[in-house]
Amino acid sequence: MMPTGTKPAGHQGLRLGLALSGGGFRATLFHLGVIRFLYEARLLNNVTDICSVSGGSILAAHLVLNWSRYNGSKEDFERAAAEIVHFVRKDVRGRIVRRWILSFLAIFPPLLQRRSWTRTALVESHYSVLYGKKHLDALRDPSLPELQLLTTSMTTGNLCAFSKEGFWTRAGNKVTRAPRGSIPISRAVAASSAFPPLFPPLKFSREELSVVESYPYDEYLADGGVFDNLGVRMLQWLQTADSSHGFIVVSDAQGCFDLAVERRFSFVVQRTVRATDILMQRISDLELRDAERAFTDKRSNVIHCDIHGVVPYTNDPTALEEGVQQQIRMIRTDLDQFSGEEIYLLVRQGYAVARNAWKPWKAMIEREQPAPGLWTDIPWNPLPAEVTRERVAKGEWDIPNSNILNKRLWSARDWVSWVSLALVLLYATIFSLPYL
């Protein structure tokens, strides 16, 4: 590990492209572990382009907006990362669902402020806790890497992106741009992570995009993972002969696709979800193979940091026990509350997987900017006071119950639950009066 207060330098002349996959808060935390390794290896400063999807966009936007902190001293990095850790400990999904339900019970407030009570508007307001009132214009600083927050057009089926230039989309070789830098970053991230089963797509009208004359239709935008859950397609489009990357780092925290031998898929929802999972898995596999071939042709090395990979425990002091690693890949891809143990496990796994994937280039990393302890020390723990390796090794960790009643519809800590309960009791009393 680097000494306290030390600011890492980059590797001169080296350019890195970074793709952060979707996968809810699980992806956000796994990517944070990968970012921490890049920081300690003096590689983070060399990232010039970032393409992110869904849960990856949650971290990517915060990373770029706080670039100097993530590349500053150890304390600066930890303070910036603590904001992400604090955010994923909130039950964002549950809070949104409960407020959405209240919007039906409370009738009049939604009538007066209809848009602010939609699920997508609610997720946008929650993201503003991380990004404040920053707009896409805030990404224009030339010292920052180019950020592409990926989303999918439900209108055209094309891959779209929000960047410092505003909104743009590509169909074949045709690129259509809406240079609207005043779009809030929280809204762009909401569009990137609007997973269709839970959130309806966000509407971006031609007036909002300031392209009334040149743009033929309004855009309805959903999760970028519908088109490409890895973000590697956009990186291919960005890479040219004059701006190729020495390395492409693909941080892959997608959902676990396992055998379903006990299921009969009798219900239409089960069949639909399984068919969607199969299609998305095939698309991701094909996109990754195509990207590896394309990047190799352009003399770029692909570093695939896969949450499903198992780092040999006996050969790597940063790796957790292999049985624990197998359980980590089963952690849900969701936006509900993550426990301290889950945060520790996912960040730790991201760090260990990235470290293992970069080992073939160990000599290159150490040649220009030696990183003392990088290949021998225990990795960074974002919650040192709460979680220890020994507790995890003993199985003393817990995945919170994701029960719909316990985590979505009711929370004793959320005032909205109590207001909703009071309204239900009030309506029940009013409707029962004629019979009393």
Side-chain angles (χ1 to χ4, degrees):
M1 299 286 187
M2 66 186 65
T4 299
T6 301
K7 181 178 179 179
H11 295 259
Q12 189 173 4
L14 181 64
R15 301 178 75 252
L16 268 65
L18 179 61
L20 302 180
S21 78
F25 284 162
R26 159 176 131 151
T28 303
L29 293 165
F30 180 82
H31 300 329
L32 182 59
V34 173
I35 295 299
R36 179 65 185 200
F37 174 82
L38 294 177
Y39 168 79
E40 292 187 3
R42 317 301 209 260
L43 291 165
L44 186 58
N45 247 334
N46 293 96
V47 173
T48 60
D49 293 278
I50 302 175
C51 293
S52 62
V53 183
S54 196
S57 292
I58 296 172
L59 176 61
H62 192 263
L63 173 65
V64 176
L65 288 174
N66 297 275
W67 190 245
S68 62
R69 297 168 68 196
Y70 278 103
N71 283 281
S73 66
K74 179 181 176 183
E75 290 79 7
D76 290 335
F77 185 102
E78 291 178 353
R79 281 192 288 268
E83 296 173 8
I84 287 290
V85 171
H86 178 71
F87 186 72
V88 301
R89 303 192 81 163
K90 295 182 177 182
D91 183 17
V92 172
R93 179 202 61 186
R95 289 168 62 86
I96 291 169
V97 170
R98 290 190 290 273
R99 280 153 180 75
W100 181 57
I101 292 173
L102 178 61
S103 72
F104 289 96
L105 296 173
I107 303 175
F108 293 110
L111 288 177
L112 297 175
Q113 295 179 316
R114 185 174 180 182
R115 180 188 174 280
S116 62
W117 286 82
T118 64
R119 279 166 288 172
T120 45
L122 288 168
V123 73
E124 181 182 341
S125 68
H126 278 75
Y127 287 155
S128 66
V129 173
L130 275 179
Y131 317 121
K133 297 181 179 180
K134 298 286 184 64
H135 295 78
L136 295 176
D137 289 340
L139 306 174
R140 289 182 179 273
D141 188 330
S143 66
L144 302 179
E146 297 280 347
L147 174 61
Q148 309 289 334
L149 300 168
L150 306 183
T151 182
T152 304
S153 171
M154 301 291 275
T155 307
T156 65
N158 295 328
L159 181 64
C160 309
F162 291 95
S163 69
K164 66 181 183 182
E165 303 297 338
F167 172 80
W168 67 286
T169 182
R170 174 170 172 169
N173 292 322
K174 181 183 178 182
V175 176
T176 305
R177 297 184 182 276
R180 182 70 168 171
S182 60
I183 295 173
I185 290 178
S186 58
R187 183 157 168 77
V189 175
S192 179
S193 57
F195 187 52
L198 181 59
F199 301 112
L202 273 75
K203 177 184 177 181
F204 284 78
S205 67
R206 292 182 296 165
E207 290 76 15
E208 182 178 3
L209 297 174
S210 295
V211 286
V212 176
E213 296 181 359
S214 60
Y215 216 76
Y217 41 73
D218 297 335
E219 284 283 10
Y220 288 83
L221 303 178
D223 193 308
V226 175
F227 190 99
D228 172 16
N229 204 33
L230 287 174
V232 292
R233 174 64 58 178
M234 183 64 74
L235 269 179
Q236 290 184 63
W237 291 345
L238 295 176
Q239 193 172 43
T240 65
D242 297 327
S243 61
S244 60
H245 300 92
F247 291 89
I248 299 293
V249 182
V250 181
S251 186
D252 181 359
Q254 298 180 95
C256 180
F257 186 83
D258 278 348
L259 298 178
V261 293
E262 299 297 329
R263 301 181 192 175
R264 295 295 175 266
F265 304 103
S266 303
F267 299 103
V268 63
V269 174
Q270 288 181 321
R271 294 194 296 272
T272 303
V273 170
R274 185 63 173 179
T276 302
D277 288 344
I278 292 170
L279 288 171
M280 291 188 69
Q281 183 65 40
R282 290 194 66 233
I283 290 171
S284 293
D285 290 343
L286 291 170
E287 287 286 356
L288 183 59
R289 285 200 296 268
D290 183 62
E292 288 177 335
R293 184 166 52 250
F295 290 133
T296 300
D297 290 343
K298 295 178 180 178
R299 301 183 182 278
S300 297
N301 300 292
V302 178
I303 309 293
H304 186 203
C305 304
D306 187 0
I307 194 173
H308 303 100
V310 176
V311 181
Y313 170 66
T314 55
N315 300 331
D316 193 328
T318 69
L320 294 164
E321 288 71 10
E322 294 181 16
V324 175
Q325 293 186 59
Q326 293 284 359
Q327 295 179 65
I328 291 173
R329 68 192 188 98
M330 301 300 295
I331 294 177
R332 66 206 176 284
T333 57
D334 212 332
L335 297 178
D336 66 346
Q337 184 179 20
F338 274 56
S339 68
E341 288 82 2
E342 289 175 305
I343 292 169
Y344 169 80
L345 291 167
L346 287 164
V347 172
R348 178 65 173 270
Q349 185 69 358
Y351 184 100
V353 167
R355 181 180 183 273
N356 187 63
W358 275 97
K359 273 186 177 179
W361 289 273
K362 176 181 176 182
M364 182 274 295
I365 293 174
E366 292 184 333
R367 184 168 56 249
E368 292 184 25
Q369 295 290 338
L374 178 64
W375 306 102
T376 57
D377 286 353
I378 300 301
W380 170 64
N381 179 359
L383 299 168
E386 293 186 36
V387 187
T388 65
R389 176 177 176 146
E390 290 72 25
R391 279 181 55 193
V392 172
K394 294 176 183 178
E396 297 177 3
W397 59 285
D398 175 54
I399 296 179
N401 182 8
S402 195
N403 181 279
I404 186 171
L405 181 62
N406 184 42
K407 296 303 293 291
R408 299 185 188 181
L409 303 185
W410 175 263
S411 173
R413 297 182 178 182
D414 190 352
W415 64 269
V416 172
S417 292
W418 295 102
V419 173
S420 298
L421 177 61
L423 288 173
V424 169
L425 294 176
L426 175 63
Y427 295 152
T429 302
I430 293 172
F431 284 117
S432 62
L433 283 178
Y435 302 99
L436 295 177

Short mmCIF file of all heavy atoms in Angstrom, two decimals, residues 291-316:
data_model
loop_
_atom_site.label_atom_id
_atom_site.label_comp_id
_atom_site.label_asym_id
_atom_site.label_seq_id
_atom_site.Cartn_x
_atom_site.Cartn_y
_atom_site.Cartn_z
N ALA A 291 -15.42 -7.51 -29.11
CA ALA A 291 -14.59 -6.41 -28.62
C ALA A 291 -13.14 -6.87 -28.46
O ALA A 291 -12.21 -6.14 -28.85
CB ALA A 291 -15.12 -5.89 -27.29
N GLU A 292 -12.92 -8.04 -27.91
CA GLU A 292 -11.55 -8.54 -27.73
C GLU A 292 -10.84 -8.67 -29.07
O GLU A 292 -9.67 -8.33 -29.21
CB GLU A 292 -11.58 -9.89 -27.00
CG GLU A 292 -11.95 -9.77 -25.53
CD GLU A 292 -12.04 -11.12 -24.85
OE1 GLU A 292 -12.30 -12.13 -25.55
OE2 GLU A 292 -11.88 -11.18 -23.61
N ARG A 293 -11.57 -9.15 -30.08
CA ARG A 293 -10.98 -9.28 -31.42
C ARG A 293 -10.68 -7.91 -32.02
O ARG A 293 -9.59 -7.68 -32.57
CB ARG A 293 -11.95 -10.06 -32.31
CG ARG A 293 -11.42 -10.36 -33.71
CD ARG A 293 -12.29 -11.40 -34.40
NE ARG A 293 -13.69 -11.04 -34.39
CZ ARG A 293 -14.63 -11.67 -33.68
NH1 ARG A 293 -14.29 -12.69 -32.90
NH2 ARG A 293 -15.90 -11.29 -33.73
N ALA A 294 -11.62 -6.96 -31.87
CA ALA A 294 -11.43 -5.63 -32.44
C ALA A 294 -10.31 -4.87 -31.74
O ALA A 294 -9.48 -4.23 -32.39
CB ALA A 294 -12.73 -4.83 -32.35
N PHE A 295 -10.25 -4.97 -30.42
CA PHE A 295 -9.20 -4.25 -29.68
C PHE A 295 -7.82 -4.86 -29.95
O PHE A 295 -6.83 -4.14 -30.01
CB PHE A 295 -9.50 -4.26 -28.18
CG PHE A 295 -10.68 -3.40 -27.80
CD1 PHE A 295 -11.67 -3.89 -26.95
CD2 PHE A 295 -10.80 -2.11 -28.29
CE1 PHE A 295 -12.75 -3.11 -26.59
CE2 PHE A 295 -11.89 -1.32 -27.95
CZ PHE A 295 -12.87 -1.81 -27.09
N THR A 296 -7.78 -6.18 -30.08
CA THR A 296 -6.51 -6.83 -30.38
C THR A 296 -5.99 -6.39 -31.75
O THR A 296 -4.79 -6.16 -31.93
CB THR A 296 -6.67 -8.37 -30.35
OG1 THR A 296 -7.09 -8.77 -29.05
CG2 THR A 296 -5.34 -9.05 -30.66
N ASP A 297 -6.90 -6.26 -32.72
CA ASP A 297 -6.50 -5.78 -34.05
C ASP A 297 -5.91 -4.37 -33.98
O ASP A 297 -5.08 -4.01 -34.82
CB ASP A 297 -7.70 -5.80 -34.99
CG ASP A 297 -8.15 -7.22 -35.34
OD1 ASP A 297 -7.35 -8.15 -35.12
OD2 ASP A 297 -9.29 -7.39 -35.79
N LYS A 298 -6.35 -3.59 -33.00
CA LYS A 298 -5.85 -2.23 -32.84
C LYS A 298 -4.70 -2.16 -31.83
O LYS A 298 -4.38 -1.08 -31.33
CB LYS A 298 -6.98 -1.30 -32.42
CG LYS A 298 -8.06 -1.16 -33.49
CD LYS A 298 -9.20 -0.27 -33.03
CE LYS A 298 -10.27 -0.14 -34.12
NZ LYS A 298 -11.42 0.68 -33.68
N ARG A 299 -4.15 -3.33 -31.50
CA ARG A 299 -3.01 -3.43 -30.60
C ARG A 299 -3.32 -2.95 -29.18
O ARG A 299 -2.48 -2.36 -28.50
CB ARG A 299 -1.81 -2.66 -31.16
CG ARG A 299 -1.35 -3.15 -32.52
CD ARG A 299 -0.12 -2.40 -33.01
NE ARG A 299 0.28 -2.84 -34.34
CZ ARG A 299 1.01 -3.92 -34.59
NH1 ARG A 299 1.43 -4.67 -33.59
NH2 ARG A 299 1.33 -4.24 -35.83
N SER A 300 -4.54 -3.19 -28.74
CA SER A 300 -4.93 -2.89 -27.37
C SER A 300 -5.04 -4.20 -26.60
O SER A 300 -5.57 -5.20 -27.11
CB SER A 300 -6.28 -2.16 -27.32
OG SER A 300 -6.20 -0.90 -27.96
N ASN A 301 -4.56 -4.21 -25.37
CA ASN A 301 -4.69 -5.38 -24.51
C ASN A 301 -5.97 -5.28 -23.70
O ASN A 301 -6.27 -4.23 -23.12
CB ASN A 301 -3.49 -5.46 -23.55
CG ASN A 301 -2.17 -5.57 -24.28
OD1 ASN A 301 -1.88 -6.57 -24.91
ND2 ASN A 301 -1.36 -4.51 -24.21
N VAL A 302 -6.75 -6.36 -23.68
CA VAL A 302 -8.01 -6.37 -22.95
C VAL A 302 -7.80 -7.03 -21.59
O VAL A 302 -7.35 -8.17 -21.51
CB VAL A 302 -9.10 -7.12 -23.74
CG1 VAL A 302 -10.40 -7.16 -22.93
CG2 VAL A 302 -9.34 -6.45 -25.09
N ILE A 303 -8.14 -6.30 -20.52
CA ILE A 303 -8.07 -6.81 -19.15
C ILE A 303 -9.50 -7.05 -18.69
O ILE A 303 -10.25 -6.11 -18.41
CB ILE A 303 -7.39 -5.80 -18.20
CG1 ILE A 303 -6.05 -5.35 -18.76
CG2 ILE A 303 -7.22 -6.40 -16.82
CD1 ILE A 303 -4.99 -6.42 -18.82
N HIS A 304 -9.91 -8.31 -18.63
CA HIS A 304 -11.29 -8.64 -18.26
C HIS A 304 -11.34 -8.97 -16.77
O HIS A 304 -10.84 -10.00 -16.33
CB HIS A 304 -11.78 -9.83 -19.08
CG HIS A 304 -13.23 -10.16 -18.86
ND1 HIS A 304 -13.76 -11.41 -19.11
CD2 HIS A 304 -14.26 -9.40 -18.41
CE1 HIS A 304 -15.04 -11.40 -18.83
NE2 HIS A 304 -15.37 -10.19 -18.41
N CYS A 305 -11.95 -8.08 -16.00
CA CYS A 305 -12.11 -8.28 -14.56
C CYS A 305 -13.52 -8.81 -14.32
O CYS A 305 -14.48 -8.03 -14.27
CB CYS A 305 -11.88 -6.97 -13.80
SG CYS A 305 -10.28 -6.20 -14.13
N ASP A 306 -13.65 -10.11 -14.16
CA ASP A 306 -14.94 -10.79 -14.16
C ASP A 306 -15.31 -11.21 -12.74
O ASP A 306 -14.56 -11.94 -12.09
CB ASP A 306 -14.87 -12.01 -15.08
CG ASP A 306 -16.22 -12.67 -15.28
OD1 ASP A 306 -17.22 -12.19 -14.71
OD2 ASP A 306 -16.26 -13.69 -16.00
N ILE A 307 -16.47 -10.78 -12.26
CA ILE A 307 -16.92 -11.13 -10.92
C ILE A 307 -17.14 -12.62 -10.78
O ILE A 307 -17.09 -13.18 -9.67
CB ILE A 307 -18.22 -10.37 -10.56
CG1 ILE A 307 -18.50 -10.46 -9.05
CG2 ILE A 307 -19.41 -10.88 -11.36
CD1 ILE A 307 -19.66 -9.60 -8.60
N HIS A 308 -17.35 -13.32 -11.90
CA HIS A 308 -17.57 -14.76 -11.85
C HIS A 308 -16.27 -15.55 -11.79
O HIS A 308 -16.28 -16.77 -11.58
CB HIS A 308 -18.38 -15.21 -13.07
CG HIS A 308 -19.70 -14.50 -13.19
ND1 HIS A 308 -19.89 -13.44 -14.06
CD2 HIS A 308 -20.86 -14.67 -12.53
CE1 HIS A 308 -21.14 -13.01 -13.93
NE2 HIS A 308 -21.74 -13.72 -13.02
N GLY A 309 -15.15 -14.88 -11.97
CA GLY A 309 -13.87 -15.56 -11.88
C GLY A 309 -13.50 -15.86 -10.44
O GLY A 309 -13.89 -15.14 -9.52
N VAL A 310 -12.76 -16.94 -10.25
CA VAL A 310 -12.30 -17.32 -8.91
C VAL A 310 -10.78 -17.18 -8.87
O VAL A 310 -10.06 -17.84 -9.63
CB VAL A 310 -12.72 -18.77 -8.57
CG1 VAL A 310 -12.15 -19.17 -7.21
CG2 VAL A 310 -14.24 -18.88 -8.56
N VAL A 311 -10.29 -16.31 -8.01
CA VAL A 311 -8.85 -16.09 -7.85
C VAL A 311 -8.31 -17.17 -6.91
O VAL A 311 -8.85 -17.36 -5.82
CB VAL A 311 -8.58 -14.70 -7.26
CG1 VAL A 311 -7.07 -14.47 -7.11
CG2 VAL A 311 -9.20 -13.63 -8.15
N PRO A 312 -7.28 -17.92 -7.31
CA PRO A 312 -6.74 -18.99 -6.45
C PRO A 312 -6.35 -18.45 -5.08
O PRO A 312 -5.49 -17.58 -4.95
CB PRO A 312 -5.52 -19.48 -7.23
CG PRO A 312 -5.80 -19.11 -8.65
CD PRO A 312 -6.56 -17.83 -8.60
N TYR A 313 -6.98 -18.96 -4.06
CA TYR A 313 -6.78 -18.46 -2.70
C TYR A 313 -5.38 -18.73 -2.19
O TYR A 313 -4.77 -17.89 -1.51
CB TYR A 313 -7.82 -19.11 -1.78
CG TYR A 313 -7.61 -18.87 -0.31
CD1 TYR A 313 -7.72 -17.58 0.23
CD2 TYR A 313 -7.31 -19.92 0.55
CE1 TYR A 313 -7.54 -17.36 1.58
CE2 TYR A 313 -7.12 -19.70 1.91
CZ TYR A 313 -7.24 -18.42 2.41
OH TYR A 313 -7.05 -18.19 3.75
N THR A 314 -4.82 -19.88 -2.53
CA THR A 314 -3.50 -20.26 -2.01
C THR A 314 -2.37 -19.44 -2.61
O THR A 314 -1.31 -19.31 -2.02
CB THR A 314 -3.24 -21.75 -2.28
OG1 THR A 314 -3.40 -22.00 -3.69
CG2 THR A 314 -4.21 -22.62 -1.50
N ASN A 315 -2.60 -18.86 -3.80
CA ASN A 315 -1.54 -18.11 -4.49
C ASN A 315 -1.66 -16.60 -4.35
O ASN A 315 -0.81 -15.87 -4.85
CB ASN A 315 -1.53 -18.47 -5.98
CG ASN A 315 -1.29 -19.94 -6.21
OD1 ASN A 315 -0.63 -20.60 -5.40
ND2 ASN A 315 -1.83 -20.46 -7.30
N ASP A 316 -2.72 -16.13 -3.70
CA ASP A 316 -2.97 -14.69 -3.68
C ASP A 316 -3.47 -14.28 -2.30
O ASP A 316 -4.59 -14.62 -1.91
CB ASP A 316 -4.02 -14.33 -4.73
CG ASP A 316 -4.09 -12.84 -4.99
OD1 ASP A 316 -3.86 -12.06 -4.05
OD2 ASP A 316 -4.39 -12.44 -6.13
#
